[in-house]
Amino acid sequence: HIYHATSKTSDILKDSNLLNMIIINAMQKGLMTVAFVLIPIILTSDTFAWQKSDLYMAYLTAMLFGLVAMGPAAVFGEKHNKPKQIFLLSIILFIVSFLIMGLTASSTVFIVGVVLFFIAFNMMEPLVQSMITKFAKVHQKGAALGISNSVAYFATFIGGSAAGLLLSVSSRESIGITIAVISVLWFFWTLKLQNPTKY
């Protein structure tokens, strides 16, 4: 560990594990805004005809399941040093959740997709920043977090914008399948991630 070395963006991006974590952080945040655009619009559309005042039931249920999933995921990822496995499981849940939300004709099943999305998001959330700091060298930690969070904020903008544009030109089914395919590619990319060395 070198405490006073100069941190270079190129060095961070050349580190495959840090690059993987930047992509994981960006995809997670991007899919969050995609979901937050799609869920209320789809539930209140003619397909399901929910009232806006009833949306809390979907979010509250999903949030509770997500919070319950967060604890075991954090313990398994941190204590047992298996964050890669948690990330891969979360991506699988993202894939399933968007396929369900895109293809189902039942509002109950749609809510199951929403619940799976929140579980996947909350399983990742406590591990992302922690893993970035574990993979980065001491003098890279601030820069690595800064780059990762900047990319994630940009992905948040892209996700919300893309969801709005896709809704205006495409069907719910096509959007669900498109996001699932992108997430499958993300899954295979993440297979290259290594669990951090445990000292």
Side-chain angles (χ1 to χ4, degrees):
H1 288 177
I2 304 171
Y3 285 87
H4 302 294
T6 301
S7 178
K8 296 181 181 179
T9 300
S10 58
D11 291 337
I12 292 171
L13 297 179
K14 287 177 184 176
D15 186 308
S16 61
N17 287 317
L18 281 175
L19 180 60
N20 254 311
M21 290 309 308
I22 290 169
I23 292 171
I24 286 171
N25 196 16
M27 286 294 296
Q28 184 209 25
K29 300 306 188 294
L31 291 180
M32 175 188 69
T33 46
V34 169
F36 282 3
V37 169
L38 295 180
I39 291 168
I41 293 175
I42 293 172
L43 281 176
T44 55
S45 68
D46 293 338
T47 304
F48 299 127
W50 277 42
Q51 297 299 312
K52 289 182 180 179
S53 58
D54 294 331
L55 288 175
Y56 79 92
M57 293 188 289
Y59 289 123
L60 181 61
T61 303
M63 183 186 70
L64 291 174
F65 276 96
L67 288 174
V68 169
M70 184 184 288
V75 170
F76 190 75
E78 290 281 1
K79 184 177 180 180
H80 299 289
N81 199 42
K82 301 290 184 183
K84 176 180 176 179
Q85 287 77 357
I86 295 296
F87 291 141
L88 292 174
L89 176 58
S90 297
I91 295 171
I92 291 171
L93 292 177
F94 276 131
I95 294 167
V96 174
S97 70
F98 277 101
L99 285 175
I100 289 174
M101 289 190 284
L103 301 177
T104 185
S106 164
S107 63
T108 301
V109 177
F110 185 90
I111 298 304
V112 172
V114 175
V115 168
L116 291 177
F117 171 83
F118 272 78
I119 289 173
F121 183 89
N122 284 333
M123 284 173 64
M124 276 191 174
E125 186 61 23
L127 296 175
V128 172
Q129 308 296 328
S130 172
M131 290 306 115
I132 293 170
T133 59
K134 287 184 178 181
F135 285 126
K137 295 179 174 65
V138 170
H139 66 282
Q140 293 177 326
K141 291 184 187 294
L145 285 169
I147 292 168
S148 178
N149 288 329
S150 296
V151 173
Y153 284 128
F154 183 67
T156 300
F157 160 72
I158 293 296
S161 301
L165 289 171
L166 286 172
L167 273 175
S168 65
V169 299
S170 185
S171 66
R172 173 169 62 96
E173 292 80 5
S174 297
I175 295 171
I177 292 171
T178 300
I179 295 172
V181 169
I182 293 171
S183 297
V184 168
L185 297 176
W186 177 28
F187 177 89
F188 285 111
W189 178 271
T190 307
L191 287 173
K192 298 189 298 181
L193 182 71
Q194 299 173 342
N195 286 319
T197 303
K198 195 171 184 181
Y199 294 97

